[in-house]
Amino acid sequence: DTGVSQNPRHKITKRGQNVTFRCDPISEHNRLYWYRQTLGQGPEFLTYFQNEAQLEKSRLLSDRFSAERPKGSFSTLEIQRTEQGDSAMYLCASSPRTSGALSYEQYFGPGTRLTVT
Amino acid sequence: AQSVAQPEDQVNVAEGNPLTVKCTYSVSGNPYLFWYVQYPNRGLQFLLKYITGDNLVKGSYGFEAEFNKSQTSFHLKKPSALVSDSALYFCAVRDTSNTGKLIFGQGTTLQVKP
């Protein structure tokens, strides 16, 4: 296993279109996070899954955003009716189920850069 | 609410000199602190963490960080900088909720000049 993967790496779309991103976490990591990073800022939390259950959503996640993790493995993040303000890097991270300090570490994917024109 | 501050947008050092990238935090309870590095168009790479124990934490690529509870700081250090260390560095604190989400600072660009 080579780490967290995300597809696509880049997406250019026109305002109003829908887009979907995919994240494949490290095998057997039961925790999965989505973050958004805009230029010059640190990543901001969007949502969290433990196995297939979505346990927390940020206020940043408007009604146009939806995320799923249907079988507790890969996850998708969909943005409907994209707006220019959605342009950002979308990062996925996973964390192992083991107890102790190891479970606090998050492993990030390369991100999907979204540009809305 | 938990927060992280990185007071410097950019740090410039000469190759071979020691470097310090500053981070202060605000959290209720015991902090779990992290440093990540980001190269252009790449995701974040984990450098090191403080959970408990020794205040001086050693991590990847020769980096270390010093946890100072009284000053609520977690500064990143390296004794001798390399040009290849030039990147964007993020300090983060683990949220105290059960999700374990990370709260990041705004980042510090490290520029190491030959």
Side-chain angles (χ1 to χ4, degrees):
Chain A
D1 190 292
T2 56
V4 178
S5 61
Q6 292 187 245
N7 289 288
R9 294 290 306 276
H10 303 276
K11 179 70 177 179
I12 301 174
T13 191
K14 293 184 177 180
R15 185 164 49 99
Q17 298 295 305
N18 300 341
V19 294
T20 300
F21 310 141
R22 176 176 170 129
C23 170
D24 287 89
I26 294 172
S27 297
E28 298 184 357
H29 278 195
N30 68 330
R31 300 183 180 198
L32 188 146
Y33 304 82
W34 285 98
Y35 293 86
R36 182 171 69 186
Q37 183 181 18
T38 54
L39 198 62
Q41 300 295 320
E44 295 175 292
F45 170 77
L46 290 178
T47 190
Y48 164 67
F49 288 87
Q50 184 165 315
N51 299 310
E52 66 277 7
Q54 188 176 20
L55 298 184
E56 184 172 341
K57 294 192 293 184
S58 163
R59 290 191 305 271
L60 294 175
L61 219 62
S62 74
D63 292 343
R64 297 184 296 106
F65 287 71
S66 62
E68 294 182 342
R69 194 183 183 195
K71 296 184 179 180
S73 56
F74 73 92
S75 175
T76 58
L77 177 68
E78 181 183 15
I79 308 174
Q80 296 182 329
R81 305 181 303 281
T82 52
E83 301 173 355
Q84 287 187 325
D86 297 332
S87 296
M89 174 80 88
Y90 290 83
L91 296 165
C92 176
S94 68
S95 188
R97 70 175 75 241
T98 54
S99 60
L102 277 179
S103 66
Y104 300 146
E105 204 164 309
Q106 294 185 21
Y107 298 84
F108 283 80
T112 295
R113 182 168 295 283
L114 173 66
T115 302
V116 182
T117 61
Chain B
Q2 294 86 20
S3 65
V4 173
Q6 293 180 242
E8 303 153 316
D9 289 337
Q10 182 158 329
V11 170
N12 298 310
V13 298
E15 187 175 31
N17 283 0
L19 69 88
T20 298
V21 182
K22 295 180 180 177
C23 171
T24 59
Y25 66 89
S26 174
V27 64
S28 55
N30 294 322
Y32 297 155
L33 298 158
F34 303 82
W35 275 101
Y36 284 83
V37 60
Q38 186 176 37
Y39 295 97
N41 299 313
R42 303 279 294 276
L44 276 68
Q45 295 179 30
F46 170 79
L47 281 179
L48 50 80
K49 66 187 176 191
Y50 172 84
I51 304 297
T52 187
D54 290 341
N55 290 342
L56 186 63
V57 179
K58 294 188 182 298
S60 306
Y61 313 120
F63 283 93
E64 58 191 25
E66 186 170 10
F67 171 67
N68 188 316
K69 188 173 183 178
S70 63
Q71 297 185 3
T72 62
S73 67
F74 189 55
H75 300 331
L76 181 70
K77 300 181 180 183
K78 187 173 183 181
S80 179
L82 300 173
V83 173
S84 58
D85 293 329
S86 299
L88 183 57
Y89 290 80
F90 290 100
C91 181
V93 64
R94 184 179 187 267
D95 185 76
T96 54
S97 70
N98 290 332
T99 66
K101 65 189 178 191
L102 294 177
I103 299 164
F104 288 88
Q106 74 272 26
T108 298
T109 298
L110 174 65
Q111 186 73 38
V112 181
K113 297 186 178 180

